[in-house]
Amino acid sequence: MKISLAPISYFWEKQAVFEFYEAAAESDADIIYLGETVCSKRRQLRLDDWFEIAAQLQDKGKEVVLSTLALIEAESELHALKQLCHKSVDQGYLVEANDMAAIKFLSDAKHYFVAGNALNIYNARSLKVIAEAGAIRWQPPLELSGDGLEDIVSGYRALENEDDQTIETEILGYGHMTLAYSARCYTARAYDFPKDQCKFICLDHPQGMKTKSQDGLEIFTLNGIQTQSGKCQNLLNQWQDTRERGVDIIRITPEDSNCLDIVQQLSNAIKADKSDVLPITEQHCNGYWNRISGMEIAEV
């Protein structure tokens, strides 16, 4: 069972990003994803900066994956995506494809890739198509239950031929879930700013903007064009169950630097084969995996 660090989904200052990955290089994370997946206007780091970080992490023995935008809205973004894919191919890095355009570029280059959860793969035949295009790892939709994932994994294995590519399964073990993407920027709208004149207001919300319902329930986290869950998914105490259902990699989303402590706790639990990792509190949820409402907490 491997541990991965998802790309930072929030907008952090450049120095904070470099410092985070300096610390992550010394962590027990096996796989580290890098790059901007939310908004092309977030340009604190340039493409060369991401590849500089990638080289430093690789020197520390980490598997590095470059991640792409999940929503391509302009020709300039498509051009930047093409640059990222081609440079990753040239330097031998895997790419997390969060859009079909990325799969097109990587497939044409005959380069393996990771299929992100934004691709919405809901059945074994879709997974087979993506694997035939070059995917060696996939991330199921966040609302998929453990039973649903097990059906897809077993169904894919039943479809495999001798020449088929074996594919790893990676799920979100800890972090706020991205529920939707929009062409509009929710953060800019909250300040009554036009999207193209947002003043980079996301920098003021390094963990997103919390949104409450009329009865005071913290129901969503707004992060630019992303609508995330209000509660943080926590499946860490069920990592053994995820393994039994075909999961190879548990992903942790960087919410702040404390996530590296969570990586260490999970690593210790895996080494000891223990389920007691991180207590589930009212700020957490695990409903989707356990076939109940996503915001709820199932007894495990």
Side-chain angles (χ1 to χ4, degrees):
M1 199 73 166
K2 297 179 183 178
I3 302 171
S4 69
L5 271 178
I8 299 169
S9 60
Y10 306 107
F11 196 17
W12 293 0
E13 294 283 359
K14 181 177 181 178
Q15 187 59 34
V17 173
F18 273 97
E19 289 175 358
F20 174 77
Y21 285 116
E22 285 178 9
E26 306 299 330
S27 74
D28 277 8
D30 303 287
I31 305 163
I32 299 181
Y33 291 80
L34 302 174
E36 179 56 52
T37 63
V38 180
C39 178
S40 62
K41 290 176 67 65
R42 297 177 177 181
R43 303 191 191 100
Q44 287 272 314
L45 277 77
R46 303 292 181 176
L47 187 61
D48 288 345
D49 293 323
W50 289 119
F51 278 90
E52 178 186 338
I53 295 171
Q56 293 169 354
L57 291 170
Q58 192 172 64
D59 287 344
K60 291 290 187 176
K62 306 301 183 184
E63 178 187 324
V64 179
V65 185
L66 277 298
S67 299
T68 72
L69 283 176
L71 184 61
I72 305 294
E73 299 183 79
E75 191 70 30
S76 59
E77 293 174 350
L78 191 63
H79 177 70
L81 171 65
K82 190 173 185 178
Q83 278 189 312
L84 184 150
C85 290
H86 285 180
K87 190 164 185 174
S88 298
V89 170
D90 290 342
Q91 298 194 18
Y93 292 111
L94 273 178
V95 175
E96 179 187 45
N98 289 307
D99 177 89
M100 290 304 294
I103 291 181
K104 170 64 175 172
F105 292 141
L106 297 164
S107 181
D108 286 349
K110 301 187 184 305
H111 192 68
Y112 293 131
F113 61 88
V114 178
N117 60 55
L119 296 177
N120 295 324
I121 300 169
Y122 283 99
N123 57 67
R125 291 191 179 277
S126 296
L127 183 56
K128 182 175 173 65
V129 169
I130 294 297
E132 289 172 346
I136 60 171
R137 182 181 306 150
W138 78 295
Q139 298 156 19
L142 296 171
E143 72 274 19
L144 200 66
S145 69
D147 290 340
L149 174 62
E150 190 172 13
D151 287 345
I152 294 175
V153 172
S154 61
Y156 172 76
R157 289 171 179 165
L159 292 171
E160 279 186 307
N161 298 316
E162 290 183 4
D163 296 331
D164 282 344
Q165 176 67 46
T166 300
I167 192 164
E168 293 180 313
T169 299
E170 177 180 8
I171 66 163
L172 177 65
Y174 189 87
H176 285 81
M177 299 175 284
T178 299
L179 306 175
Y181 298 90
S182 171
R184 290 185 173 185
C185 175
Y186 294 108
T187 311
R189 186 184 177 105
Y191 285 85
D192 202 24
F193 294 156
K195 182 180 178 182
D196 292 336
Q197 300 172 30
C198 65
K199 302 181 183 180
F200 306 107
I201 197 64
C202 284
L203 280 172
D204 292 348
H205 301 279
Q207 292 178 299
M209 295 178 66
K210 302 302 180 183
T211 302
K212 294 184 178 180
S213 63
Q214 290 182 339
D215 55 1
L217 182 66
E218 199 169 88
I219 191 168
F220 294 125
T221 302
L222 302 183
N223 176 39
I225 67 167
Q226 285 185 338
T227 300
Q228 298 179 327
S229 58
K231 293 184 177 182
C232 181
Q233 173 155 283
N234 181 0
L235 300 181
L236 300 184
N237 294 341
Q238 293 182 265
W239 73 266
Q240 292 161 316
D241 178 52
T242 70
R243 180 182 60 186
E244 291 171 3
R245 295 178 184 275
V247 173
D248 304 286
I249 302 162
I250 295 284
R251 167 181 276 218
I252 294 174
T253 298
E255 307 275 336
D256 52 38
S257 59
N258 292 333
C259 78
L260 298 179
D261 294 332
I262 297 173
V263 169
Q264 187 62 55
Q265 291 174 55
L266 177 59
S267 176
N268 292 342
I270 291 173
K271 291 172 184 175
D273 199 20
K274 294 182 178 179
S275 60
D276 187 15
V277 182
L278 187 69
I280 294 181
T281 70
E282 61 182 12
Q283 281 77 42
H284 295 149
C285 62
N286 61 11
Y288 283 139
W289 181 261
N290 295 288
R291 297 187 68 179
I292 59 176
S293 299
M295 293 176 62
E296 295 184 10
I297 298 174
E299 295 294 332
V300 295

